[in-house]
Amino acid sequence: MVQMLGSYTQTSKDNYEEFLKALNVGFILRKAALASTPVMTISEAGGKWTMITKTTVKSIELNFKLGEEFEEETTDGRKCKTTVTMDGNKLITTQKAMKAGEKDVVAVREFNDGGLTMTMTCD
């Protein structure tokens, strides 16, 4: 199995601004997100997972058990019911917006020998 635990530094953000626009993220927050270089650290102990994403501006910590729903406030301010599952070498985060009119997001983190590729979609 491919290594999932460890630290990962963002190296590219293809179409990220368009994704943020689709989520109705404001101009200033969008520009801050595009200018940052996040570092994500993933750890697990006894079935409890932690994902910490740090930038120079903010640090976000998610604590979860695979397959168990939890409430999350995202960096763009959406309140979501979130579930993280594992499928082979992928961690899949599904955020269901709690407020009508806000978008749901699926983030697929795919791990391989070269690191991590994260693909996010919204609808």
Side-chain angles (χ1 to χ4, degrees):
M1 178 165 214
V2 173
Q3 177 69 27
M4 291 185 176
L5 307 180
S7 291
Y8 302 88
T9 301
Q10 186 179 70
T11 57
S12 68
K13 354 178 176 222
D14 299 342
N15 298 314
Y16 191 45
E17 185 164 19
E18 291 77 12
F19 173 78
L20 295 174
K21 284 179 181 178
L23 284 176
N24 296 317
V25 173
F27 178 81
I28 293 173
L29 184 55
R30 227 175 35 243
K31 293 305 174 190
L34 290 166
S36 69
T37 304
V39 175
M40 177 186 295
T41 303
I42 301 172
S43 59
E44 184 269 337
K48 294 180 181 177
W49 291 72
T50 302
M51 270 196 271
I52 300 171
T53 304
K54 289 184 180 181
T55 67
T56 53
V57 177
K58 198 170 191 176
S59 179
I60 307 235
E61 183 172 333
L62 289 183
N63 296 290
F64 58 91
K65 288 185 175 181
L66 292 175
E68 289 188 13
E69 186 177 78
F70 61 96
E71 290 191 9
E72 169 190 15
E73 184 168 339
T74 64
T75 52
D76 61 307
R78 291 174 301 119
K79 290 190 173 143
C80 298
K81 290 191 180 281
T82 300
T83 306
V84 181
T85 57
M86 185 186 299
D87 181 11
N89 65 334
K90 298 176 184 174
L91 283 178
I92 302 162
T93 304
T94 304
Q95 299 172 331
K96 298 286 185 188
M98 296 168 67
K99 186 177 176 184
E102 291 185 339
K103 305 217 177 195
D104 298 339
V105 170
V106 175
V108 178
R109 293 170 179 87
E110 185 171 359
F111 299 84
N112 56 51
D113 293 336
L116 158 67
T117 299
M118 184 164 78
T119 305
M120 300 188 312
T121 55
C122 69
D123 46 74

